[in-house]
Amino acid sequence: MDPRIREHAATIVDHAVDLAAGDRVVIQLPPEAEDLAVALYEQCGDIGAIPVWLTHSDRASRAYLRAAGEEYETPDHQLAFYEETDAFIIARGGANVTETSDVPPANNAAFKRAYKPVQEERLSKRWCLTQYPTSGHAQLAGMSTEAYQDFVWDAVGLDWDAQREFQAQMADRLEDADEVRIAAGEETDLTLSVAGNHALNDYGEKNLPGGEVFTAPVVDSVDGEIHFDMPLYRQGREIRDVRLTFEAGEVVAHSAGRNEELLTEILDTDDGANRLGELGIGMNRAIDQFTYNMLFDEKMGETVHLAVGAAYPETVGDDNVVNESAEHVDMIVDMSENARLEFDGEVVQRNGTFVFEDGFEAA
């Protein structure tokens, strides 16, 4: 076994979910990640945690979603199981990243709505989402399998204490801010309020890799236009060149250069899916290559991302409304050129360089 797999398992157990003796933990991994399951089981055995490995199959999911159509019941037995669980460890890494590409978007949206109570229960516990490097994801990233393995292990193996301190410089500024403006190129000029909401510093706990500072916009505050000039992969399909127009927090116009019908289905999932649930600022300088994997791409240090759909409740202040949705879809803006990020009128990032980094004045 690659020794980096055991190192990754130790980081997950000790740093991300902080397992202790007696903790009941669900380990949800694809079959290709069996080595990681072995390493995690070793860690659980050493500390006295109680693991259950659930194998996730994209092929099985595809078969179910295609056969069931648009009628789903909430899986109460799974919900009951999750209610008895203390922590979740989930890794992506299937063999075929386009396996679900021929599932009708309406089927996916209906399943998301039925599954929402289960998802909310999982998110209320300690959890970590990470990546196992497989040839399928390497191919999507345009990399050899070996190069992709190096890329993943480097990104998840940072000094997370040092990363926390670096990101705190932005988290503190965002916590104190009221209004955020994103301006990039000729097509993006968006303002939103974060007044009363909380900025969180993601340094490799719930996501491995970590590397972002994020919050929730005030639901009805978003106005302007934005062009997400970096593509995303969703439901096994590429969505490219997304353009959204917001008025009083709601998407009033949208388009995409590819798979616009899928974008439409996402926005129509429920009432909260056409509003923003997250603003995130990428700050992981170890992630320097776009890979069509949002777990990594949204952390790149010259990007910001916004998510339509559900907000993380811990980012929303007591006096503000939590945007609720069965969806949470992140989309990215490249901030490396002709771009600036402003907090209350002060530029905090210019052309990808943060105000506290060397070279900011010249950026």
Side-chain angles (χ1 to χ4, degrees):
M1 182 187 299
D2 188 327
R4 295 174 296 184
I5 297 174
R6 284 195 167 92
E7 293 172 4
H8 186 43
T11 300
I12 294 170
V13 168
D14 296 336
H15 172 73
V17 292
D18 191 24
L19 287 187
D23 278 345
R24 297 158 296 184
V25 55
V26 167
I27 297 170
Q28 182 176 312
L29 310 176
E32 293 81 3
E34 184 177 10
D35 279 355
L36 181 57
V38 170
L40 288 168
Y41 264 58
E42 289 174 345
Q43 290 284 324
C44 290
D46 285 343
I47 65 176
I50 307 164
V52 173
W53 178 17
L54 300 182
T55 302
H56 176 76
S57 166
D58 288 330
R59 288 184 63 203
S61 295
R62 170 189 177 273
Y64 175 65
L65 292 171
R66 284 173 58 87
E70 297 182 36
E71 299 295 328
Y72 300 92
E73 297 288 338
T74 297
D76 292 335
H77 59 308
Q78 187 176 4
L79 177 59
F81 177 39
Y82 280 19
E83 288 171 347
E84 297 299 320
T85 301
D86 298 307
F88 294 84
I89 298 169
I90 302 171
R92 297 172 177 169
N96 182 359
V97 296
T98 63
E99 188 65 60
T100 59
S101 61
D102 56 358
V103 175
N107 295 22
N108 273 301
F111 178 75
K112 286 275 191 178
R113 289 191 290 268
Y115 192 76
K116 183 182 175 184
V118 181
Q119 180 79 343
E120 289 176 340
E121 181 64 28
R122 180 180 69 77
L123 292 174
S124 73
K125 307 297 180 69
R126 284 173 286 148
W127 58 272
C128 175
L129 172 65
T130 190
Q131 178 74 37
Y132 187 83
T134 61
S135 57
H137 282 270
Q139 186 174 27
L140 185 64
M143 302 169 71
S144 68
T145 301
E146 182 177 356
Y148 187 67
Q149 289 170 344
D150 292 342
F151 170 80
V152 169
W153 301 135
D154 287 348
V156 301
L158 293 184
D159 179 338
W160 292 112
D161 288 336
Q163 188 69 21
R164 179 187 63 233
E165 294 178 5
F166 172 64
Q167 293 176 183
Q169 299 173 88
M170 181 59 68
D172 291 345
R173 285 175 166 85
L174 184 56
E175 180 72 22
D176 293 338
D178 289 333
E179 184 179 84
V180 174
R181 182 184 182 193
I182 304 167
E186 300 297 324
E187 297 183 79
T188 293
D189 194 346
L190 194 77
T191 58
L192 55 92
S193 172
V194 295
N197 285 347
H198 306 300
L200 299 189
N201 186 343
D202 168 23
Y203 53 94
E205 293 183 304
K206 292 180 177 180
N207 282 345
L208 263 176
E212 65 171 300
V213 169
F214 65 102
T215 189
V218 175
V219 173
D220 60 357
S221 71
V222 187
D223 281 293
E225 299 179 347
I226 188 163
H227 173 209
F228 297 100
D229 50 357
M230 302 185 75
L232 66 146
Y233 232 68
R234 190 72 177 180
Q235 300 173 17
R237 278 161 283 188
E238 181 191 50
I239 306 176
R240 179 178 288 275
D241 281 328
V242 172
R243 292 171 170 84
L244 302 179
T245 301
F246 288 87
E247 293 180 4
E250 186 176 2
V251 177
V252 295
H254 70 274
S255 66
R258 184 175 186 184
N259 282 318
E260 183 175 315
E261 72 284 356
L262 176 55
L263 174 65
T264 300
E265 288 285 352
I266 290 170
L267 296 173
D268 288 345
T269 298
D270 50 37
D271 290 342
N274 70 340
R275 295 179 180 273
L276 290 183
E278 181 189 0
L279 160 69
I281 303 166
M283 299 189 68
N284 187 333
R285 295 298 190 190
I287 302 174
D288 57 2
Q289 179 170 340
F290 181 79
T291 62
Y292 280 100
N293 185 335
M294 193 61 68
L295 184 61
F296 293 79
D297 297 338
E298 69 175 8
K299 313 299 192 325
M300 290 190 295
E302 297 181 345
T303 65
V304 297
H305 59 274
L306 299 169
V308 292
Y312 295 108
E314 58 267 36
T315 64
V316 180
D318 292 340
D319 296 330
N320 288 336
V321 175
V322 178
N323 194 48
E324 296 185 357
S325 174
E327 279 289 5
H328 182 96
V329 179
D330 295 290
M331 293 176 277
I332 304 173
V333 179
D334 182 356
M335 300 290 287
S336 63
E337 295 182 4
N338 192 24
R340 66 188 185 278
L341 179 66
E342 299 178 6
F343 294 169
D344 297 328
E346 177 190 359
V347 178
V348 296
Q349 184 193 54
R350 182 185 296 116
N351 297 334
T353 303
F354 297 114
V355 65
F356 44 79
E357 290 184 303
D358 291 341
F360 173 76
E361 293 301 331

